[in-house]
Amino acid sequence: MSFMKAMLAAAACCLALSAHAQTLVTTGSLVVVPANGDVVHANDQASIILAIEEQDQDKAAAASRVNQKMNDGAALVKKADPQAVLKTQGYYTYAVYPEAAPLPPGSVAKPRVPAGWRVGQYLQVTTTNLAALPKTVAAAQGVLSLNRLHFGLAPATIGKLDEQRIAAAYKNLNERVAAIAAAMGRNVIEAVIDSIDFEGSGRYAQRPNLAAARAMRADAGAHAGKQVAEPSFEAGETRLNMGLVAKIRFK
């Protein structure tokens, strides 16, 4: 008999808690809801870094060869892709020292004298002509080396995708608000947007597709002056994300 009383008491307690939960007032509640939307687009821009490096005991001779080959390489790129944007960067000159044997205890090291010089320079090429990219790179590799290659989206393309990213984020917001309203036992039409923050007034977070990036390094003089076969590239795609935070008030 005592067991039945205990069971009845437990059931009554559960009913009381359930009734109390159903009496939670949600009128006028303010709910902060994060949402986001993704847009995937095929990459339409390539950024490549070409390089040249020379070594010589004569610093001037090494620099002269670098200057000449960089001029030749830039001319080949312009001929293959007249629309490409070129930017030279990272000119460097380093002294090369011979290996020094360990000094006996108490001896004084003599001033080091360079055995030669390393001189190099980089050329950045940005282009949206992806169809001609293999031909352009192959032409440049006749003189320069391909140091790095990255595919992405042109600024104009990113701008055009703004509307799609905003729409995707807003759609996700509506879906999340509907789910929250159902969980609260409210009708979604009773939810009113109090405010929306689209990632700090339009700033976007770009998550590049790592598979679209390629990093390559090679001997700068390995193919100098030689015919190079065209490489094969896959541009891949980039995913852009738009996030927002909304304040939703229930009537």
Side-chain angles (χ1 to χ4, degrees), residues 93-174:
T93 303
Y94 295 126
V96 179
Y97 294 95
E99 294 186 7
L103 296 174
S107 60
V108 179
K110 296 180 181 180
R112 300 178 68 191
V113 178
W117 296 87
R118 290 173 54 205
V119 181
Q121 189 178 18
Y122 297 94
L123 175 65
Q124 180 181 13
V125 180
T126 304
T127 181
T128 56
N129 189 359
L130 301 188
L133 184 62
K135 178 182 176 182
T136 302
V137 172
Q141 284 181 305
V143 179
L144 308 176
S145 67
L146 178 59
N147 182 270
R148 188 173 293 110
L149 167 64
H150 174 75
F151 290 105
L153 298 178
T157 303
I158 294 176
K160 292 178 181 178
L161 293 175
D162 270 352
E163 183 177 347
Q164 295 181 33
R165 293 189 293 118
I166 291 173
Y170 194 75
K171 178 182 178 182
N172 182 247
L173 172 64
N174 280 274

Side-chain angles (χ1 to χ4, degrees), residues 2-227:
S2 60
F3 175 75
M4 290 297 296
K5 289 182 178 181
M7 292 294 293
L8 290 173
C13 182
C14 289
L15 290 173
L17 289 174
S18 176
H20 179 70
Q22 292 177 357
T23 60
L24 288 176
V25 179
T26 58
T27 303
S29 298
L30 182 65
V31 182
V32 179
V33 184
N36 64 82
D38 290 338
V39 174
V40 178
H41 193 280
N43 289 323
D44 59 358
Q45 178 175 279
S47 177
I48 61 179
I49 301 295
L50 301 168
I52 183 64
E53 182 179 285
E54 291 288 334
Q55 293 193 38
D56 201 291
Q57 292 181 339
D58 185 343
K59 181 169 60 174
S64 180
R65 291 201 301 272
V66 166
N67 297 344
Q68 184 60 55
K69 291 183 178 181
M70 180 56 70
N71 289 334
D72 293 343
L76 290 171
V77 171
K78 291 179 181 178
K79 182 179 179 181
D81 186 358
Q83 299 177 358
V85 177
L86 278 61
K87 178 183 178 182
T88 54
Q89 58 188 25
Y91 200 109
Y92 60 88
T93 303
Y94 295 126
V96 179
Y97 294 95
E99 294 186 7
L103 296 174
S107 60
V108 179
K110 296 180 181 180
R112 300 178 68 191
V113 178
W117 296 87
R118 290 173 54 205
V119 181
Q121 189 178 18
Y122 297 94
L123 175 65
Q124 180 181 13
V125 180
T126 304
T127 181
T128 56
N129 189 359
L130 301 188
L133 184 62
K135 178 182 176 182
T136 302
V137 172
Q141 284 181 305
V143 179
L144 308 176
S145 67
L146 178 59
N147 182 270
R148 188 173 293 110
L149 167 64
H150 174 75
F151 290 105
L153 298 178
T157 303
I158 294 176
K160 292 178 181 178
L161 293 175
D162 270 352
E163 183 177 347
Q164 295 181 33
R165 293 189 293 118
I166 291 173
Y170 194 75
K171 178 182 178 182
N172 182 247
L173 172 64
N174 280 274
E175 294 170 349
R176 303 197 76 180
V177 170
I180 292 171
M184 295 174 64
R186 301 293 300 271
N187 195 316
V188 70
I189 63 175
E190 298 173 329
V192 179
I193 296 177
D194 189 81
S195 66
I196 299 180
D197 179 12
F198 280 94
E199 287 193 344
S201 301
R203 290 180 298 169
Y204 64 90
Q206 180 174 351
R207 298 200 300 266
N209 185 347
L210 297 181
R214 307 284 188 269
M216 305 179 183
R217 298 187 180 276
D219 183 0
H223 303 292
K226 296 181 180 180
Q227 186 80 19

